[in-house]
Amino acid sequence: MKKKEISTKACTCSIIGTGSHMPERVMTNDDLAKIVDTSDEWITTRTGIRSRRIAAEGEATSDLASAAARNALEMAGVKPDELDLIIVATVTPDMFFPSTACVVQKKIGAKNAVGFDISAACSGFLFALQTARHYLNGGPRKTALVIGAEKLSSLINWQDRNTCVLFGDGAGAVVLRSDDSGVVQGQVLSSVMGSDGSQTDLLKVPGGGSFLPVTPENVASRPNTIHMEGRETFKHAVTRMCQASEQALKDAGLTTDDVTLVIPHQANARILAVMADRLGIAAERMFINLDKYGNTSAATIPVALDEANRGGLIKRGDVLLLVAFGGGLTWASAVIRW
Ligand code: COA
């Protein structure tokens, strides 16, 4: 396929390393069928998920994030003290504060960085990537670590079959560098971010924050677990992911024909099949690993990107389309030339 000329003036940031880390413990659909009224057949046909990883007791989001970060730094050949910025996208921070980014900073020894978290649910990693790009393009900071990390098992109601079968734990990271060397690799050509606060009720963890603190009186109703209206969420996911994909490609001066590989948020194989069909993208150009990991929210895209990268599925010059959708509602996309 003939490659189009793409303007790179808008951004000088490159992804110079990817990394991921998944917890060791595998929970299969059959394991879940022992604790709720479900079956491997239902979960597989409705979602495409066959297993998910569950963090060990005492293993926090920052542990997964730090391990993914070390892998990305090693690939990039960047030492922790060279980092200027750490952004962690997560809805399962270690604690309300300090930020998980500050905890990661301590764990990896990135003493020269500034760190903060971003909360945009499953779109969080792409929100963080875009935020990091603006930092690197607009100031003296040169090197950023962008992480999507979740321990969603800490928010799961294991008695709710509508949600407990969907989610898992994991972390992925990229190292982003801005320089004038002219060496361009993993360059973000365009990106889109959006949110719709009129639909906050579709997907949420209502309790545990300032709105509805968990008390001895309400603890039995499990307000601090994931609540989701699955069917409505499904429809919004398809619409927004398609729109965000088309917009980012248009902004980059490209079409779906130019895309080598789509790295989508991994929530449901049926969402991805409808999306691929609507966008006219062949199934084999959609990277899917949700069968192994389920939905790990902000971690799905950086984990998938790292797997595709280390698996040799991406080569220099390839065009990647990253696209996400999540609670908020939020959505985001990015077109990257590798
Ligand atoms: N095992 C067996 N049956 C289940 C089940 C499970 N784990 N979960 C739900 N069911 C049942 C329901 O109770 C319902 O039964 P009923 O018809 O007797 O009431 C039936 O299956 C159908 O439920 P429904 O919610 O309509 O299923 P669905 O085909 O919409 O699939 C989801 C449910 C959650 C898999 C799907 O809606 C989805 O993936 N939504 C989007 C989720 C998402 O993307 N979330 C994250 C966004 S980042």
Side-chain angles (χ1 to χ4, degrees), residues 37-39 42-43 46-47 122 161-162 165-167 203 228 230-231 233-234 237 265 267-268 270-271 295 325-327:
D37 181 14
T38 190
S39 65
W42 192 96
I43 302 170
R46 298 291 182 116
T47 72
C122 304
R161 69 177 184 174
N162 292 292
V165 302
L166 303 175
F167 300 102
L203 179 52
M228 183 178 69
R231 276 189 202 177
T233 305
F234 190 109
H265 171 51
N268 185 316
R270 288 188 295 138
I271 292 178
N295 181 349
F325 172 84

Side-chain angles (χ1 to χ4, degrees), residues 18-301:
T18 63
S20 57
H21 178 79
M22 306 306 285
E24 270 177 36
R25 184 179 160 205
V26 177
M27 182 183 267
T28 64
N29 293 346
D30 287 334
D31 293 333
L32 274 166
K34 290 178 192 144
I35 53 178
V36 278
D37 181 14
T38 190
S39 65
D40 176 49
E41 198 268 334
W42 192 96
I43 302 170
T44 307
T45 52
R46 298 291 182 116
T47 72
I49 299 165
R50 293 181 182 278
S51 63
R52 67 287 295 143
R53 298 295 180 92
I54 303 294
E57 208 174 315
E59 195 174 22
T61 294
S62 65
D63 294 313
L64 306 176
S66 299
R70 287 189 194 99
N71 290 338
L73 288 166
E74 190 184 358
M75 182 188 285
V78 167
K79 295 193 178 61
D81 61 8
E82 291 176 62
L83 288 171
D84 301 305
L85 174 68
I86 301 172
I87 307 181
V88 177
T90 187
V91 291
T92 49
D94 284 21
M95 52 194 94
F96 278 122
F97 70 88
S99 69
T100 301
C102 285
V103 182
V104 169
Q105 176 183 25
K106 178 174 73 174
K107 287 187 174 169
I108 67 172
K111 56 182 186 297
N112 298 315
V114 59
F116 56 88
D117 291 358
I118 279 188
S119 169
C122 304
S123 309
F125 174 76
L126 292 182
F127 275 48
L129 185 66
Q130 177 70 335
T131 305
R133 279 178 75 215
H134 282 303
Y135 261 86
L136 299 194
N137 285 335
R141 294 189 175 86
K142 295 287 179 211
T143 311
L145 180 63
V146 183
I147 304 173
E150 304 285 7
K151 185 179 172 180
L152 289 172
S153 58
S154 64
L155 295 180
I156 288 172
N157 175 356
W158 294 104
Q159 288 160 13
D160 177 11
R161 69 177 184 174
N162 292 292
T163 54
C164 75
V165 302
L166 303 175
F167 300 102
D169 304 334
V174 302
V175 179
L176 199 63
R177 175 164 273 172
S178 152
D179 64 32
D180 305 324
S181 66
V183 179
V184 170
Q185 172 203 344
Q187 190 186 28
V188 182
L189 304 177
S190 64
S191 63
V192 167
M193 290 163 66
S195 55
D196 176 5
S198 71
Q199 303 291 339
T200 47
D201 283 340
L202 285 187
L203 179 52
K204 63 184 177 183
V205 177
S210 59
F211 170 68
L212 183 63
V214 179
T215 62
E217 290 74 36
N218 69 17
V219 70
S221 66
R222 297 176 182 268
N224 58 330
T225 57
I226 297 170
H227 291 57
M228 183 178 69
E229 293 181 31
R231 276 189 202 177
E232 271 306 298
T233 305
F234 190 109
K235 286 186 229 161
H236 285 281
V238 171
T239 306
R240 294 301 188 182
M241 285 171 86
C242 287
Q243 286 171 348
S245 300
E246 283 164 347
Q247 186 62 51
L249 285 168
K250 190 169 167 229
D251 291 350
L254 300 172
T255 70
T256 48
D257 289 344
D258 299 305
V259 176
T260 319
L261 194 64
V262 183
I263 302 203
H265 171 51
Q266 314 274 321
N268 185 316
R270 288 188 295 138
I271 292 178
L272 301 184
V274 177
M275 194 188 131
D277 189 47
R278 282 201 197 164
L279 291 174
I281 293 178
E284 57 271 21
R285 282 196 284 150
M286 304 284 290
F287 186 87
I288 296 182
N289 63 2
L290 66 77
D291 50 320
K292 293 186 291 183
Y293 304 136
N295 181 349
T296 56
S297 192
T300 63
I301 288 182

